[in-house]
Amino acid sequence: MARGDLTDDQWLRLEAVLPPLPKMGRKPRDRRQVFDGIWWRARTGSPWRDVPERYGPWETSYSVFRRWQIDGTWARILEKLQVKADAAGHIEWEVSVDSTVCRAHQHSAGARKRGARSGRTPPDGLAGEPDDHGLGRSRGGLSTKLHLAADAAGHVLAVVVTGGQRGDAPQFIEVMDRIRVPRSGGGRPRVRPDHVLADRAYSSRQIREYLRKRQIAHTIPEKRDQTGHRLRRGSAGGRPPGFDREKYKARHKVECRIGLLKQARGVATRYDKLAVRYEATVQLTLIRQSL
């Protein structure tokens, strides 16, 4: 077993949530070996062709990674792990929302723009691929931003991939809408956290009204200019939003979780040309770190 490969206990936990093997056709390659090869590439950020021979042909690792991204297998595996964690009481529903910018390598550029191919069906069935492929250009070059929601125990419950120049507040509602953890005993999935923590970037009237409408308590500091505008309006400015300074200190946990996520070099620096492929790399990393 090489460094970074699954241990026997980790493989047993992962095997329990993998999709069943096909009953017909040629017997597939050892799935533990293939998963270790896929994880090696995400952990090191190396090209697919450099996957070591001990993991089998690199084409097999890439084809499995690509196929499971297209049919949603990576997302379903992560969801099953979240269901088990929630059933065991490990998910704490005090959620922190934040974002992080990841530098995009030059190899991530050059994907076809939408409409470049003939026909109406997107290539590889990638209907969810954004037009800009989740890449943004700034003074530092190409970058991608990950917007995520993590609970107090470090479980990442939702991830949204955008260009690096995108603001945080406009993505808040989409991040919250992606929180969905099914219940092991059946019934409606859990979609509403008990409390939300966020920094000043998310201080807007729209976000506060959205949280109040969903009856979600929140701790978000008010921006200085918003405080000044409210005070200048006098009684018409309304009451200041409630803010618990001690509770706000717990928001550092999402920043710690981002640091752990970026230990995978394939996440810290984006090498995937498509945003959906990069999102699958993030999902793979979350799966591996949950075992």
Side-chain angles (χ1 to χ4, degrees):
M1 183 178 68
R3 186 173 70 90
D5 290 355
L6 292 170
T7 64
D8 292 339
D9 291 339
Q10 289 172 337
W11 169 244
L12 288 177
R13 289 194 290 269
L14 176 62
E15 190 177 25
V17 295
L18 290 179
L21 290 169
K23 297 181 179 180
M24 301 181 64
R26 187 176 62 181
K27 183 179 179 180
R29 184 174 290 274
D30 180 23
R31 295 207 286 185
R32 180 175 179 177
Q33 180 190 44
V34 173
F35 182 90
D36 283 336
I38 297 173
W39 169 241
W40 182 91
R41 182 261 174 182
R43 180 173 63 86
T44 63
S46 299
W48 284 103
R49 292 177 182 270
D50 293 341
V51 173
E53 294 182 358
R54 64 176 178 270
Y55 299 119
W58 70 267
E59 295 92 341
T60 301
S61 297
Y62 173 70
S63 64
V64 171
F65 171 78
R66 173 179 172 274
R67 184 171 68 251
W68 284 12
Q69 174 267 309
I70 293 174
D71 62 17
T73 298
W74 294 118
R76 286 193 295 271
I77 293 174
L78 182 59
E79 183 180 82
K80 290 179 181 178
L81 291 174
Q82 291 174 346
V83 170
K84 287 191 172 185
D86 189 37
H90 296 159
I91 294 183
E92 302 178 16
W93 287 92
E94 181 180 273
V95 173
S96 297
V97 180
D98 205 351
S99 68
T100 181
V101 176
C102 302
R103 182 67 183 269
H105 195 270
Q106 59 186 6
H107 292 169
S108 66
R112 292 177 180 267
K113 300 296 182 181
R114 183 169 295 180
R117 292 172 178 253
S118 60
R120 297 181 179 179
T121 304
D124 298 332
L126 305 178
E129 178 68 13
D131 292 338
D132 61 355
H133 301 298
L135 289 174
R137 187 177 295 277
S138 62
R139 289 185 177 181
L142 295 175
S143 61
T144 292
K145 181 176 283 190
L146 294 177
H147 309 261
L148 51 87
D151 77 330
H155 298 91
V156 177
L157 304 178
V159 177
V160 174
V161 179
T162 67
Q165 84 285 1
R166 300 292 183 182
D168 293 348
Q171 310 302 323
F172 178 85
I173 294 178
E174 183 176 358
V175 172
M176 294 295 296
D177 289 345
R178 289 198 183 191
I179 297 177
R180 183 183 182 277
V181 179
R183 302 178 190 269
S184 58
R188 295 181 178 180
R190 181 75 183 266
V191 297
R192 187 164 62 93
D194 298 327
H195 200 99
V196 170
L197 305 172
D199 60 19
R200 285 185 175 86
Y202 299 92
S203 178
S204 71
R205 181 177 299 178
Q206 180 185 10
I207 289 177
R208 296 184 191 274
E209 290 179 353
Y210 168 83
L211 293 173
R212 281 194 291 267
K213 183 177 180 181
R214 296 190 61 188
Q215 298 181 351
I216 300 175
H218 59 276
T219 301
I220 303 176
E222 190 178 29
K223 293 181 179 179
R224 292 181 181 178
D225 60 339
Q226 293 175 348
T227 303
H229 294 332
R230 177 174 50 79
L231 293 176
R232 281 194 294 270
R233 295 180 63 188
S235 59
R239 296 180 179 178
F243 179 71
D244 188 337
R245 187 175 299 275
E246 290 300 317
K247 199 171 192 62
Y248 183 71
K249 293 179 180 179
R251 197 190 65 83
H252 79 279
K253 295 182 179 180
V254 68
E255 299 177 351
C256 296
R257 190 62 183 87
I258 289 173
L260 179 62
L261 182 63
K262 282 189 169 184
Q263 287 186 5
R265 296 186 178 186
V267 174
T269 302
R270 172 179 167 176
Y271 298 95
D272 301 281
K273 289 184 180 296
L274 301 179
V276 289
R277 298 272 200 272
Y278 180 63
E279 185 177 7
T281 302
V282 175
Q283 293 168 348
L284 164 67
T285 303
L286 295 175
I287 292 170
R288 181 62 180 84
Q289 293 178 348
S290 299
L291 298 176

